[in-house]
Amino acid sequence: MRPVSWATCAAVSFALSTATRAADLEQQTPVQTVGFYALAIGINGDMGVGGSSAHVDMSASDALDDLDFGARGFYRYQAGRWALQVDVIYNSLTGKEAESPAGARVAVDLDQAMIGVDARYQLQQVLELIIGARYWDYDVAIFGPEPGAAAQPTSAGQEWVDPLIGARVTIPLGSNWEVVGRGDIGGFGVGSDSSWHATAFFDWKATDQFSVLFGYRAFDVDFEDGSGAGRFALDIRQSGPAIGMSLSF
């Protein structure tokens, strides 16, 4: 009889372990997770409203100084291999220093809301595929270089929806720790010209239900619509550290 090779044994072992993990995924009871986190968002890029333009270059710590209000959270429902997640970010910032194309100092007020809704399919314990959409809502006001309260801003708002595709990877680090990375790309000319998002964080499971999260998030969007007085343009990247908590039940 022909001896069984090491490679054959390894292949059979891998197939059996994969089948076992797949069965575990199918038999999982539904789990809901709610999370809240603080996110310091630095901003770098260009904004345009009508005939006014501004370049913003602000660190995460500087953005916190100008933050009037911020809210961030997510909800996840998972049943077997399938999951649904909703992610919400809202920021209101005022008085951010910026620079016009001519080099003059200007100020920018920015209100933004981002709501992501996506469905996920778990190929393996460590890998999810993501498809969904992200709603963007921006209100921008650019104040000219004139000092004092008499300066009148050029302001406008715009909202749109980007389709997105992406993936999420979870790497266990012992019994209570894991590293989670998620990335997606979107827009494709449907809403924005292009957009992307990336997140990487550590998840410390203090208990079976309660986790502490800390890591880094980044968003990038390139959007332009209208012309002349009706022009609205954004080509910005927002990124910064995040810390939060989640509760599963």
Side-chain angles (χ1 to χ4, degrees), residues 88-162:
V88 177
I89 294 178
Y90 176 79
N91 287 307
S92 179
L93 303 98
T94 58
K96 296 189 299 296
E97 289 191 0
E99 185 175 286
S100 72
R105 300 303 298 173
V106 296
V108 175
D109 291 353
L110 174 66
D111 289 333
Q112 62 176 144
M114 293 179 284
I115 303 175
V117 181
D118 58 64
R120 306 173 177 210
Y121 181 74
Q122 201 167 9
L123 284 178
Q124 299 178 4
Q125 291 280 4
V126 299
L127 177 63
E128 288 181 344
L129 299 183
I130 298 171
I131 185 170
R134 181 173 290 115
Y135 166 79
W136 307 76
D137 184 0
Y138 278 88
D139 289 300
V140 177
I142 301 177
F143 294 79
E146 297 85 357
Q152 294 297 314
T154 302
S155 61
Q158 190 67 259
E159 57 184 336
W160 68 92
V161 176
D162 282 344

Side-chain angles (χ1 to χ4, degrees), residues 70-83:
R72 297 98 182 172
F74 69 89
Y75 168 79
R76 175 185 172 97
Y77 178 87
Q78 181 167 354
R81 288 179 177 269
W82 290 95

Side-chain angles (χ1 to χ4, degrees), residues 58-68 93-94:
M58 174 169 282
S59 68
S61 59
D62 290 338
L64 284 176
D65 294 337
D66 295 327
L67 181 66
D68 289 339
L93 303 98
T94 58

Side-chain angles (χ1 to χ4, degrees), residues 5-244:
S5 68
W6 176 89
T8 301
C9 291
V12 171
S13 176
F14 176 79
L16 290 174
S17 63
T18 301
T20 300
R21 290 194 297 268
D24 291 342
L25 287 173
E26 298 293 354
Q27 294 171 8
Q28 284 178 355
T29 57
V31 176
Q32 300 182 71
T33 303
V34 177
F36 302 94
Y37 58 94
L39 175 62
I41 299 182
I43 303 174
N44 184 276
D46 300 309
M47 305 179 185
V49 178
S52 299
S53 298
H55 176 77
V56 179
D57 187 0
M58 174 169 282
S59 68
S61 59
D62 290 338
L64 284 176
D65 294 337
D66 295 327
L67 181 66
D68 289 339
F69 178 77
R72 297 98 182 172
F74 69 89
Y75 168 79
R76 175 185 172 97
Y77 178 87
Q78 181 167 354
R81 288 179 177 269
W82 290 95
L84 173 70
Q85 183 155 326
V86 179
D87 192 13
V88 177
I89 294 178
Y90 176 79
N91 287 307
S92 179
L93 303 98
T94 58
K96 296 189 299 296
E97 289 191 0
E99 185 175 286
S100 72
R105 300 303 298 173
V106 296
V108 175
D109 291 353
L110 174 66
D111 289 333
Q112 62 176 144
M114 293 179 284
I115 303 175
V117 181
D118 58 64
R120 306 173 177 210
Y121 181 74
Q122 201 167 9
L123 284 178
Q124 299 178 4
Q125 291 280 4
V126 299
L127 177 63
E128 288 181 344
L129 299 183
I130 298 171
I131 185 170
R134 181 173 290 115
Y135 166 79
W136 307 76
D137 184 0
Y138 278 88
D139 289 300
V140 177
I142 301 177
F143 294 79
E146 297 85 357
Q152 294 297 314
T154 302
S155 61
Q158 190 67 259
E159 57 184 336
W160 68 92
V161 176
D162 282 344
L164 64 87
I165 56 173
R168 181 178 187 262
V169 176
T170 304
I171 302 174
L173 298 176
S175 58
N176 297 327
W177 288 87
E178 60 186 20
V179 177
V180 180
R182 179 246 167 94
D184 62 66
I185 58 174
F188 311 114
V190 177
S192 65
D193 292 332
S194 64
S195 63
W196 61 260
H197 155 249
T199 297
F201 64 87
F202 290 95
D203 183 341
W204 173 53
K205 298 186 181 303
T207 69
D208 289 340
Q209 289 78 36
F210 180 75
S211 291
V212 178
L213 317 171
F214 56 94
Y216 198 87
R217 300 195 78 175
F219 295 87
D220 188 285
V221 62
D222 183 1
F223 176 89
E224 185 166 1
D225 185 57
S227 60
R231 170 176 167 263
F232 185 92
L234 287 174
D235 186 3
I236 60 173
R237 181 172 301 175
Q238 298 173 263
S239 60
I243 184 169

